[in-house]
Amino acid sequence: MKLDGVLAIREHWAAPDEPVLLCAGAAGASTRFDVPGLDWSGSPAAGFAGKALRGVAGFAGNVVSAVADDDLGARELPGVVVFGGSPEALAPGAALASRQAAVAWLVLTPHRLAWVAAVPEPVEPEPEKSLFDRVGDLARGARDAFAGKSPYPPHEPVPTVAITTVAELPRPRITGAALAERKLPRGSVPGSATVLRVSLVDGSGVDVLAKGRPEAAQRLLALVNA
């Protein structure tokens, strides 16, 4: 099995002298949107046509809409919240481009802020196996797991998935990273969270929630500023 995440990003995407300062899962419900014209999931907001956009300044963290009573997933703490004055702003535009990726990450390096995705592996048909063979495979897998046997042999390179860029913003478009308080939609638990906020030149940006714990956000800030 090939590994993904930071290991794959370092091997297949980042330049040799480009450290990964921040890596957060950004696929599916891991990313939410605080953007006029979009709902919390990033879909076009119902009834938005004709409404004036709120100003970019002071926009971040002003989510006030309630999540639907039956939308339990929307109440869960996301990994990333993207904010901006419109869907065409820098951060929302980049994040929306990655919504279709099955496995994606938000990555910050000293040179860029990027949304990257795992390149899907070709699916090869498995040979037909008898019930006896399938039971044998399960037994061997369980035996190896109980014995603590690693699927990756020692002294051999660990296989990693290929990584591709979905969208990226160069360093000059990043204005800074700092701790901030993120207000969440009514009905969410908790109702707010301390985040690492990466801001861009047009007032848009991304909030990384780090499980909503202030100490975790502080560690992220220390890593970004290292």
Side-chain angles (χ1 to χ4, degrees), residues 8-152:
I9 290 168
R10 285 173 174 164
E11 181 173 349
H12 297 289
W13 181 81
D17 60 344
E18 185 178 22
V20 175
L21 305 177
L22 173 70
C23 179
S30 296
T31 295
R32 298 297 188 178
F33 292 81
D34 182 3
V35 180
L38 301 177
D39 64 16
W40 188 231
S41 68
S43 299
F48 182 77
K51 293 183 180 179
L53 295 180
R54 284 176 283 179
V56 172
F59 176 76
N62 289 334
V63 172
V64 293
S65 59
V67 297
D69 290 338
D70 59 350
D71 191 355
L72 298 180
R75 298 176 184 274
E76 296 178 357
L77 199 65
V80 176
V81 176
V82 180
F83 62 87
S86 76
E88 291 75 32
L90 290 174
L96 287 170
S98 68
R99 289 188 72 204
Q100 302 305 316
V103 184
W105 299 270
L106 172 71
V107 181
L108 177 66
T109 79
H111 308 306
R112 50 187 167 166
L113 176 69
W115 282 257
V116 303
V119 176
E121 293 283 319
V123 178
E124 298 181 0
E126 295 185 359
E128 188 68 26
K129 290 185 177 182
S130 67
L131 177 61
F132 179 80
D133 289 334
R134 292 197 295 270
V135 171
D137 289 343
L138 289 173
R140 281 189 293 274
R143 185 170 59 250
D144 290 345
F146 280 118
K149 184 177 180 180
S150 172
Y152 308 106

Side-chain angles (χ1 to χ4, degrees), residues 34 68 116 161 168 207 210 224:
D34 182 3
V116 303
V161 300
E168 69 175 57
D207 288 343
V224 167

Side-chain angles (χ1 to χ4, degrees), residues 204-215:
S204 67
V206 293
D207 288 343
V208 181
L209 274 73
K211 299 182 180 180
R213 297 197 302 267
E215 62 275 15

